[in-house]
Amino acid sequence: MSQSDIIAPILSYDDINKRAEDFLREHKRNEILPVNIESIAEFDLGLNIFPFPNLQETFDVEGFISGDLNVIYVDEFIYYQRPARYRFTLAHEIGHYVFHSDLIVSFHPRSVADWSKFILAIDEETYGWLEWQAYSFAAAVLVPRVSLKEYFDNELKLLQSKIDFIRSKGLSVESSRDYIINAIATKLIGIYDVSADVLNKRISKELEKGYLSLE
Amino acid sequence: MSDLFGEYFKKKRLEMRKTLRQFCLENGLDPGNISKIERGILPPPQSGEKLAHYAKCLGIVEGSDEWLEFFDIARTDAGRIPEDLLADRNIVAKLPLVFRTLKGQKLTGEQLEKFARALEKLNEPE
């Protein structure tokens, strides 16, 4: 396989969300939050998880799935000390497992030098697509759309007095969008056990796509 | 690669519905070492005391048939693993295609080389 054979699958945001919903249903994890992604990795997919010392400090890498799709390596500090990041890293790597298995197994470097040359030759755009797909899958699996709508709408109601105040000043709700998203994201951290950043991005994207509304 | 003991170990742990992290935390074990044992990278321990400790962590009752089986598999595998490990030294199959980096950037050539060596070291018996 040459670098030019690496083609990221074409997946829309909605395709990824659909696959994430199916994935949770297949693994019977669509009802209990936070989603137990570690159990899915080990019990359902049979993957091994290995703490990799200084992975992030040395290489700026939080985690990766091995070329034989057998092990998810996670930075040791994240593994022990950052449970939310740990969960997200597992979900992200499972995203590669779900969408990119064919690509990964068809990649057969003959040596470390061969592998290195290959990785360096993958164009940034393709690499970016692969990463975006895995990231979006992780967010969709850990923050499922149906439950997010429910929690978001409830939290939005609790912010109603503040929203009314914003309106009374002649401002649109949209003008306080970032404040509202951040306020709600902060409230939902404990429910989904992901970072505020992941929730902020997830909510923003769902608003952009019209699955959530500030009105 | 021979991983009969490792496979057996992992099967028992999964039957207990314990993730590696949970199992190791509850029993004061190192997840890196246990993962290596489960994947056949590390041979079963030679020490009977350590094996007995592992067996107890896995909920195997002392003196039961399962207890004897656990020790039998460990002895059988301990003699077989070294030659099989040679095959496992081929780290190339384990090298990843994509990494989850903080900034979403690729590694440089020098970093990739260093990374491959670090991964190789991690997949060697101590």
Side-chain angles (χ1 to χ4, degrees), chain A residues 15-146:
Chain A
D15 292 336
I16 293 170
N17 271 271
K18 170 80 172 52
R19 185 67 193 91
E21 281 165 13
D22 291 346
F23 178 85
L24 288 173
R25 212 171 298 117
E26 283 159 20
H27 295 286
K28 299 182 176 63
R29 309 277 179 174
N30 51 335
E31 284 173 7
I32 300 171
L33 295 171
V35 171
N36 194 340
I37 197 72
E38 191 181 39
S39 289
I40 296 178
E42 288 202 50
F43 302 148
D44 300 356
L45 304 177
L47 294 166
N48 296 287
I49 300 168
F50 195 95
F52 193 133
N54 305 314
L55 181 62
Q56 189 175 335
E57 196 184 316
T58 313
F59 303 106
D60 192 35
V61 172
E62 297 192 30
F64 62 93
I65 188 160
S66 60
D68 56 9
L69 297 171
N70 184 34
V71 186
I72 293 178
Y73 292 87
V74 183
D75 173 74
E76 190 177 62
F77 180 76
I78 291 175
Y79 181 90
Y80 286 115
Q81 307 292 338
R82 295 285 180 269
R85 288 205 83 84
Y86 170 63
R87 287 164 37 71
F88 195 84
T89 299
L90 291 183
H92 179 109
E93 296 311 321
I94 290 172
H96 286 307
Y97 181 90
V98 168
F99 292 128
H100 309 136
S101 282
D102 291 348
L103 211 56
I104 293 169
V105 296
S106 62
F107 165 61
H108 294 297
R110 286 157 298 175
S111 63
V112 170
D114 190 26
W115 167 77
S116 176
K117 200 172 144 191
F118 186 92
I119 297 289
L120 289 170
I122 301 175
D123 66 90
E124 292 287 346
E125 196 184 352
T126 303
Y127 195 80
W129 270 110
L130 297 173
E131 282 297 282
W132 176 79
Q133 289 169 356
Y135 178 92
S136 301
F137 179 83
V141 159
L142 296 180
V143 187
R145 177 172 282 164
V146 175

Side-chain angles (χ1 to χ4, degrees), chain B residues 15-32:
Chain B
E15 276 172 11
M16 297 172 84
R17 302 300 287 173
K18 302 275 186 198
T19 64
L20 177 73
R21 210 161 57 108
Q22 192 183 7
F23 176 77
C24 290
L25 197 67
E26 287 174 5
N27 294 294
L29 300 170
D30 174 49

Side-chain angles (χ1 to χ4, degrees), chain A residues 138-153:
Chain A
V141 159
L142 296 180
V143 187
R145 177 172 282 164
V146 175
S147 76
L148 178 61
K149 178 157 177 50
E150 200 175 307
Y151 283 112
F152 180 87
D153 289 348

